[in-house]
Amino acid sequence: MPVDPTLVAHVAATAGLSATEAARVIEDVLAFHAEPVEAYVVRRHAELKTFGARNPEIFTRIAGELGDRVVAAPRLTERQLRRLVYG
């Protein structure tokens, strides 16, 4: 998907980047925020487990994080989060 040239010019001018660098940054940000909710939940669960967190803490934290996404995900219950992770 091509990046809006006006946005590229704005980011390049305000961040001191070349147009190529600005376009790459914008593409990276868009890709980061395009991650589907299901993939985000599974990825974050695995990350938090790696650091020794337990499921009740993990699911509470993920539920809070989902509300802070640029395009907020729907509210998911702990059961729905568990089903995304464990099927």
Side-chain angles (χ1 to χ4, degrees), residues 4-76:
D4 180 355
T6 305
L7 179 59
V8 171
H10 174 74
V11 171
T14 58
L17 301 172
S18 71
T20 303
E21 292 168 327
R24 188 173 63 238
V25 168
I26 293 165
E27 289 168 356
D28 286 347
V29 170
L30 291 174
F32 176 82
H33 287 291
E35 182 178 26
V37 172
E38 295 81 3
Y40 178 83
V41 170
V42 171
R43 179 178 60 78
R44 283 297 287 150
H45 180 268
E47 288 172 358
L48 295 169
K49 272 290 205 195
T50 299
F51 294 106
R54 300 217 175 259
N55 279 341
E57 174 191 348
I58 290 172
F59 293 126
T60 298
R61 185 166 175 179
I62 291 173
E65 290 174 359
L66 288 174
D68 293 335
R69 291 175 56 101
V70 172
V71 178
R75 278 199 188 274
L76 299 176

